[in-house]
Amino acid sequence: MIGIIETGNICGTLARKLSVAGHDVRVANSSGIERVRVFAREIGAEAKDVHGAVADAHGEVIVLRF
């Protein structure tokens, strides 16, 4: 599972490429789940709130953009 928080140019591109490569990707942004739902559906990822994007990561990958 890869959790990506924020879906701008850099993280959005990363999320898209990881999803296409077959990874289980969860995306979230600071505006909430409704604002990220369309993007997630478009790339084959799961839309989550910030907490849901990182829940159960257990040492896998979490990407944050500040």
Side-chain angles (χ1 to χ4, degrees), residues 35-62:
R35 299 283 304 249
V36 77
R37 194 177 305 273
V38 172
F39 174 73
R41 193 174 309 129
E42 175 186 309
I43 68 167
E46 236 184 303
K48 296 286 187 175
D49 62 14
V50 174
H51 297 287
V54 299
D56 302 322
H58 301 295
E60 295 191 29
V61 179
I62 298 169

Side-chain angles (χ1 to χ4, degrees), residues 1-2 4 6 15-17 19 31-32 38 46-49 53 55 59 62-64:
M1 189 282 298
I2 300 171
I4 300 181
E6 288 306 329
R16 184 182 312 276
K17 291 188 178 289
S19 184
S31 300
V38 172
E46 236 184 303
K48 296 286 187 175
D49 62 14
I62 298 169
V63 178
L64 304 167

